[in-house]
Amino acid sequence: MITSALVIKNGRIIDPSQGMDDTLDLLIADGKISKIQKPAEKNDKENIIEERDVPSSDRQVIDAAGLIVVPGLIDMHTHLREPGYEYKETIKTGCKAAAAGGFTSIACMANTKPVNDNPAITGIILKKAKQEGCVNVFPIGAVTLGLQGQVLTDMDALKKAGVIAVSDDGKPLSNISLAGITMGQTLRLDFPFISHCENADMVKGGVMNEGVISRSLNLRGIPAKAEESMLARDISLLESVGGILHIAHVSTAGSVRLIREAKARGITISAETAPHYFCLTDKAVKKYGAIAKVNPPLRTKADTEAIKEGLKDGTIDVIATDHAPHSRRDKDREFSLAENGIVGLETAVSLSLKLYHEGLLSLAELFRKMTINPARILKIDKGRVKAGWDADLTIIDPDAEVVVDRQKFKSKGKNTPFDGWKLRGKVVKTIVGGKIIFTG
Ligand code: DOR
Ligand code: ZN
């Protein structure tokens, strides 16, 4: 006999990992999904999902009629800022923001202070996440000590401590021999190297996309080639030495083409983009100033179109947030001195649903990129609605109209250009291990 349970009835369950898209009832017990079945008729007591197994005093029932239920969303690219930059975000506030955004699992980047380049820091992050975080936190370890690009970290030790990938995100790994060794390590350790593709020589103090807008604003530009040339290097390394490579925050049409061609040649590579790279162009810099400053920078209309095409044809596997919280002081300064980054956890679902409302992606195609695809890339047992699996679920109203209000964000970071935007798609409930951790 189950003693306490959560029942979700009449929801449209979409699980892209098994091609499931059906109105079904779910029984959750002891933090796991226990039963999935077609809704029974009202008088068919024998077959009503909870009737036989759970005493009525011990069940909580959610009626999800008219809503979609998807595997708990996974963000494989979050900046939690703790340890070291707690004034921007803490593990606790970042997890709350994740929950409010429908994410049940997040992978956090290593550019904290100290950097997550050794098992002690990984341990601190995991411990804090367990004590104070309401979602699953998967730390990403650094590739090089202090993100300095000089000396490789002890990746065996990091893996043992619990990191699920390595990345110097925020900085490129310019040294090609270190990049080659890292690729080899990923094969041995069976986790991905997440590459922040940026050719430092070509960036040379650039602060926004190089083009008509940067020239009109008299700001130093970062050419698309700065991203693409590093990506080309990574692809060629991957072809020659092998490895498990994932490309972070794809922002240009040329990058989409390079990844598409690599995949067409049979190379195994994965890639992500973030909502701001398909919802905004560099014109946003004119309108929003430093709030729209991000690295890689917002590009042109042609780039956003190519990214959407890449999402459609499967070239881009994942939509991640690159949630990069900053304080007001970090952003409220001269453009060239302001920090890079946009907060993303609490807007990702509504912004990504634009792709569905525009008719570009089906709901299954969209949520595949926020559930099973990141789970497979990170090799974590998440992203499915299946009996025996963790009851991590997100309930969404894909049509509800919302207005983004950054003052209501759970994140400490309010740095979003989407404030005041009217969007469609609302997170109704976020459930982790059978517990409702957010109700919208
Ligand atoms: O805009 C960005 N912000 N891009 C990065 O690569 C790093 C991130 C951050 O840590 O703020
Ligand atoms: Zn990042």
Side-chain angles (χ1 to χ4, degrees):
M1 177 72 83
I2 294 162
T3 54
S4 82
L6 177 65
V7 183
I8 303 173
K9 295 179 98 161
N10 308 311
R12 176 177 167 198
I13 302 187
I14 301 175
D15 176 357
S17 78
Q18 30 187 340
M20 181 190 282
D21 184 350
D22 213 347
T23 301
L24 294 163
D25 289 347
L26 274 178
L27 177 64
I28 294 157
D30 304 324
K32 304 272 181 198
I33 293 165
S34 144
K35 204 154 75 171
I36 308 168
Q37 66 171 52
K38 287 244 174 236
E41 298 295 330
K42 268 208 170 60
N43 49 10
D44 183 7
K45 288 261 182 222
E46 258 303 283
N47 286 312
I48 290 179
I49 194 161
E50 71 274 25
E51 287 294 335
R52 269 184 317 187
D53 305 321
V54 195
S56 56
S57 55
D58 296 326
R59 40 171 124 110
Q60 192 180 358
V61 180
I62 299 172
D63 183 8
L67 304 175
I68 60 168
V69 181
V70 293
L73 305 181
I74 300 167
D75 183 21
M76 66 176 294
H77 191 147
T78 304
H79 295 270
L80 284 180
R81 307 300 191 204
E82 189 176 1
Y85 301 101
E86 288 82 358
Y87 66 98
K88 296 177 196 261
E89 192 83 288
T90 62
I91 289 172
K92 188 172 179 182
T93 59
C95 286
K96 283 209 166 130
F103 293 95
T104 58
S105 293
I106 56 181
C108 56
M109 283 298 174
N111 64 341
T112 47
K113 194 170 76 181
V115 167
N116 184 15
D117 60 7
N118 69 79
I121 302 298
T122 309
I124 288 169
I125 294 169
L126 283 170
K127 189 166 163 213
K128 270 244 155 146
K130 205 164 173 200
Q131 286 169 346
E132 297 172 12
C134 56
V135 302
N136 306 296
V137 173
F138 296 94
I140 295 166
V143 174
T144 64
L145 292 178
L147 305 182
Q148 294 298 304
Q150 308 285 329
V151 182
L152 291 177
T153 54
D154 181 345
M155 293 182 200
D156 288 77
L158 283 168
K159 165 123 187 174
K160 241 190 184 159
V163 315
I164 42 84
V166 286
S167 180
D168 273 1
D169 179 64
K171 291 186 171 175
L173 182 54
S174 302
N175 184 314
I176 189 166
S177 60
L178 292 186
I181 297 168
T182 302
M183 299 263 192
Q185 296 276 51
T186 61
L187 283 179
R188 202 169 54 72
L189 294 166
D190 196 30
F191 63 26
F193 162 42
I194 303 176
S195 183
H196 169 119
C197 292
E198 180 178 0
N199 181 322
D201 293 329
M202 294 173 86
V203 171
K204 272 194 319 228
V207 291
M208 69 169 294
N209 182 52
E210 182 181 272
V212 183
I213 310 282
S214 68
R215 286 191 284 279
S216 78
L217 293 172
N218 208 15
L219 289 170
R220 198 186 272 263
I222 302 171
K225 283 277 173 281
E227 176 172 319
E228 293 151 8
S229 58
M230 189 58 98
L231 172 58
R233 181 206 74 173
D234 280 353
I235 291 171
S236 102
L237 264 181
L238 182 63
E239 269 187 293
S240 56
V241 302
I244 306 172
L245 178 64
H246 175 80
I247 306 301
H249 42 53
V250 169
S251 77
T252 79
S255 294
V256 175
R257 199 179 323 118
L258 283 164
I259 296 163
R260 184 182 289 124
E261 285 168 5
K263 286 187 171 184
R265 283 204 303 283
I267 295 166
T268 303
I269 181 171
S270 60
E272 71 187 34
T273 192
H276 40 271
Y277 297 116
F278 55 80
C279 292
L280 293 172
T281 66
D282 53 359
K283 280 192 181 150
V285 172
K286 256 190 167 148
K287 190 162 174 192
Y288 304 107
I291 285 291
K293 184 179 177 190
V294 61
N295 184 25
L298 302 172
R299 306 285 188 182
T300 66
K301 181 95 174 119
D303 294 303
T304 61
E305 291 305 316
I307 281 171
K308 287 186 188 181
E309 212 31 62
L311 284 162
K312 171 90 200 143
D313 71 12
T315 300
I316 300 177
D317 308 87
V318 169
I319 298 174
T321 68
D322 200 358
H323 177 77
H326 289 293
S327 71
R328 214 172 135 174
R329 280 185 58 188
D330 295 329
K331 277 293 196 181
D332 225 357
R333 48 199 303 201
E334 189 190 314
F335 190 87
S336 58
L337 299 175
E339 298 273 6
N340 281 301
I342 292 175
V343 281
L345 286 168
E346 292 169 84
T347 47
V349 163
S350 320
L351 290 170
S352 299
L353 275 164
K354 274 163 85 69
L355 303 173
Y356 161 68
H357 291 298
E358 286 168 10
L360 188 87
L361 298 182
S362 68
L363 288 170
E365 285 167 334
L366 171 60
F367 287 108
R368 175 184 291 280
K369 297 182 195 291
M370 301 175 87
T371 57
I372 192 64
N373 283 3
R376 284 198 178 125
I377 291 163
L378 298 175
K379 300 173 201 286
I380 55 176
D381 284 339
K382 296 284 180 190
R384 313 189 75 173
V385 183
K386 211 172 171 200
W389 281 56
D390 293 340
D392 293 356
L393 300 157
T394 307
I395 306 181
I396 294 168
D397 181 340
D399 298 310
E401 291 188 6
V402 295
V403 180
V404 177
D405 180 355
R406 62 179 175 171
Q407 294 313 329
K408 296 212 174 109
F409 283 175
K410 309 279 185 212
S411 172
K412 285 192 185 183
K414 313 295 176 199
N415 46 308
T416 178
F418 300 110
D419 193 42
W421 278 40
K422 289 191 183 64
L423 298 166
R424 281 164 80 195
K426 181 180 167 190
V427 176
V428 176
K429 284 202 193 300
T430 308
I431 298 161
V432 173
K435 275 219 282 283
I436 301 169
I437 55 157
F438 174 79
T439 298

